[in-house]
Amino acid sequence: MNRLLRRSRRGRQRGVALLMVLSALTMLAVMLTEFQQETSAELASAMAERDSLQAEYAARSAISLTRLLIASEPTMRRALGPLLIMARMDKTQLPVWEHSDMVLGFFNDSESAKALGSLVGGSFDQVKGLGLGKGARFEVKIVDEDSKLNLNFAARGTVPARMVVTNQFKALTTGAQYDKLFQERDADGNYNERRSVCSAVVDWTDPDTEAEPCTPEVNAPSQGGSEDSYYEGLKPRYPRKNAAFDSLEEMHLVRGISEEFWSTFIERDVSDPSKRTVTVWGGEQVNVNTANAMTLMALVCPFVADMNPACIDPMTRSRVVSGLEMMRGFMPGIPLFKSPKGFVSFLAFDDPTDPAALLFGTLGIPPIKLISAGELIRRLKVRSDIFSIYATGIVRTGRRETRTRVHAVVDFRGAPPPGQPFGSTSAAVSGTQGINQMAAAAASAGVAPMGSASGAAGLAGPMGSAMGAMGLPPGTSPDAITAAMAASAGGHFIYYRIN
């Protein structure tokens, strides 16, 4: 009997030990699984950070190469001098940026280099030290901002500047096909007709506090209500900026700029920013050789007689747009007009034997006579100086693809030719003039030097005052800041954003 009890007690003890072993194994398996998941997550996060950094620097490389390509345009034009002189286009800018993705192929991945090699009938396999590493590449798109309508003109605060924006807005939004867009309530229950949206765009940038009436026919200052009356009724409310737009995205804050308005007039195709008709970074004039057809019509129509069908009849306007796009399709990459006067002469059919005039005649488009040709010519040019560079760095690791997009706007106005030493005499002079202007502005505003005893020690004249006002470190020499502000052949950045 005792023996049976001892055996039963030993069996129960063996069962408890088995449960303890199984529990320990389960806990170890759970801990191992959790540790493995944490390690895998950390590894994936580290690889994602690595790929993101590589993609960002691939995009930055594309931007630097693109700046070099644009800066080299005068050199390319000189190389083609005899041909361009024969065509009377030796002073016309070549749109080299339109082929940047192809030209920069041998700096990209191996596939892009092979595509470029097959195009030029050569091979870059023997060239060492060029191109990105395995799995990395970039895509680049250049948008000519001088080919767009600049909505920042009104920031100057003058009547002519506001008139420019008002006339452009009216010409851009004219057409019965857009009526529905301005006849419906927005998300806040407000009606936004053409005139109120135009007024909102001008008021956001102009420095005064009076609402812009947006009447193109009246070239004189006039008063309306308060600019803030609409924004004060919003939840949450905010004031208008009363300064220039810093980016296109800022326009979403303006009254009447709905998603539908955005996709109709501002960014028609998110994947192709070159189709934009407006900008906030362009200069004072528009390049007629690179502007799209809708932009050109918005420029021309304010200077055309009211009864011209090209501006009031949607069908005729559509034929004009189609005709201009067909002309660009026949001569891709070749500037259509040698000068702004040539563009105006083309519109009026001054030369009936011109192939372009013959094409327009075939399409049933009448001559477009201007009532103020000189004013339109002053708004046009045949070269571009401000460019948006959309560079996307792409890194592929296994099945994962990482993309980083950099949008940079570069201004080449005043840029010296390539090869000129950085900080050369002309660049230094322009830098010194800029500093003196800053100092004069600070003095007129009553700004006292922040580092008058240390930051500007030993510096004389307006340049020293400016350096003191900026609070520069002690011992900073005028030459150092002059060199930093010197013009570069690659232009200078006026906008930079990483997505």
Side-chain angles (χ1 to χ4, degrees):
M1 186 69 178
N2 291 334
R3 185 178 297 176
L4 292 175
L5 290 174
R6 284 195 297 270
R7 287 181 179 176
S8 175
R9 194 176 294 118
R10 286 196 202 101
R12 288 197 297 270
Q13 290 175 353
R14 291 193 190 101
V16 171
L18 179 62
L19 288 175
M20 292 177 63
V21 170
L22 291 176
S23 299
L25 291 174
T26 302
M27 293 177 62
L28 288 173
V30 171
M31 292 174 60
L32 179 61
T33 302
E34 184 177 356
F35 178 74
Q36 184 179 8
Q37 289 179 345
E38 289 181 358
T39 304
S40 300
E42 290 177 357
L43 177 61
S45 176
M47 293 178 66
E49 289 291 335
R50 179 202 64 186
D51 292 349
S52 177
L53 185 62
Q54 289 181 350
E56 178 182 338
Y57 275 88
R60 290 189 178 190
S61 298
I63 290 177
S64 298
L65 291 167
T66 301
R67 295 173 66 191
L68 174 63
L69 175 65
I70 296 174
S72 301
E73 186 274 335
T75 305
M76 300 180 189
R77 192 168 0 118
R78 284 195 297 270
L80 298 173
L83 295 176
L84 296 176
I85 291 174
M86 291 175 60
R88 297 181 180 179
M89 301 182 68
D90 53 304
K91 298 186 182 300
T92 305
Q93 186 182 36
L94 300 177
V96 295
W97 56 88
E98 294 182 358
H99 312 285
S100 57
D101 228 358
M102 176 189 66
V103 174
L104 301 178
F106 55 87
F107 294 105
N108 208 341
D109 59 349
S110 58
E111 294 299 322
S112 300
K114 289 179 181 178
L116 179 61
S118 62
L119 181 66
V120 300
S123 174
F124 300 102
D125 294 338
Q126 304 301 320
V127 180
K128 303 299 181 182
L130 292 179
L132 301 177
K134 185 178 180 181
R137 64 187 179 92
F138 61 76
E139 296 175 353
V140 63
K141 180 74 174 179
I142 305 177
V143 177
D144 173 12
E145 296 296 341
D146 278 334
S147 67
K148 317 297 180 186
L149 303 175
N150 190 357
L151 297 180
N152 264 337
F153 268 108
R156 301 181 179 185
T158 63
V159 173
R162 292 198 298 267
M163 288 289 296
V164 168
V165 178
T166 298
N167 284 320
Q168 290 178 351
F169 186 92
K170 177 184 177 183
L172 188 64
T173 58
T174 295
Q177 68 271 28
Y178 303 130
D179 288 347
K180 185 179 179 181
L181 182 63
F182 299 98
Q183 293 173 352
E184 297 180 349
R185 293 180 183 269
D186 60 14
D188 297 309
N190 298 302
Y191 285 107
N192 294 306
E193 65 277 4
R194 287 179 174 86
R195 186 170 174 178
S196 63
V197 179
C198 172
S199 176
V201 171
V202 174
D203 289 335
W204 188 267
T205 59
D206 69 8
D208 61 38
T209 58
E210 296 295 330
E212 169 65 30
C214 257
T215 51
E217 299 81 9
V218 181
N219 190 3
S222 56
Q223 294 185 346
S226 171
E227 292 180 354
D228 287 330
S229 57
Y230 169 80
Y231 302 101
E232 288 174 350
L234 298 178
K235 295 181 180 180
R237 63 184 183 181
Y238 55 88
R240 75 276 177 275
K241 186 178 182 182
N242 268 14
F245 291 106
D246 291 320
S247 67
L248 280 173
E249 287 73 16
E250 185 184 331
M251 294 186 66
H252 284 295
L253 298 173
V254 180
R255 174 183 182 178
I257 309 297
S258 61
E259 292 299 329
E260 189 175 359
F261 183 96
W262 183 274
S263 60
T264 303
F265 299 111
I266 298 178
E267 199 162 30
R268 300 171 183 272
D269 187 352
V270 178
S271 62
D272 189 1
S274 63
K275 294 183 178 180
R276 281 194 283 111
T277 56
V278 300
T279 183
V280 296
W281 300 294
E284 299 180 0
Q285 299 169 304
V286 177
N287 188 343
V288 293
N289 284 324
T290 57
N292 61 38
M294 292 194 63
T295 301
L296 291 176
M297 291 306 297
L299 277 169
V300 169
C301 285
F303 303 98
V304 175
D306 292 339
M307 300 306 295
N308 193 296
C311 293
I312 63 174
D313 179 37
M315 295 300 296
T316 304
R317 187 184 181 113
S318 177
R319 287 197 294 269
V320 175
V321 171
S322 299
L324 289 171
E325 295 299 336
M326 288 174 62
M327 289 170 56
R328 288 236 167 83
F330 292 151
M331 297 185 294
I334 300 177
L336 295 177
F337 308 103
K338 302 178 181 66
S339 66
K341 290 183 178 179
F343 173 69
V344 172
S345 177
F346 153 74
L347 293 176
F349 294 1
D350 289 343
D351 183 5
T353 63
D354 184 12
L358 295 175
L359 172 63
F360 271 42
T362 304
L363 295 175
I365 302 172
I368 302 177
K369 300 290 185 180
L370 303 176
I371 56 177
S372 182
E375 184 64 27
L376 176 60
I377 289 173
R378 284 191 289 271
R379 295 275 295 112
L380 303 175
K381 60 179 180 178
V382 290
R383 65 168 290 112
S384 297
D385 298 296
I386 303 176
F387 300 89
S388 271
I389 306 174
Y390 296 85
T392 303
I394 304 170
V395 175
R396 179 178 289 277
T397 304
R399 297 182 179 180
R400 185 179 65 249
E401 183 179 86
T402 303
R403 288 174 172 259
T404 299
R405 189 190 197 195
V406 178
H407 176 200
V409 182
V410 186
D411 187 351
F412 285 86
R413 289 177 295 187
Q420 181 170 315
F422 183 78
S424 60
T425 303
S426 61
V429 169
S430 63
T432 304
Q433 291 174 346
I435 297 170
N436 289 338
Q437 291 172 1
M438 291 168 56
S444 64
V447 178
M450 295 171 58
S452 55
S454 57
L459 302 179
M463 191 169 184
S465 301
M467 295 176 66
M470 288 184 286
L472 295 176
T476 303
S477 67
D479 293 337
I481 192 169
T482 299
M485 298 183 67
S488 168
H492 63 272
F493 291 105
I494 58 176
Y495 180 79
Y496 197 92
R497 179 176 180 178
I498 301 177
N499 294 324

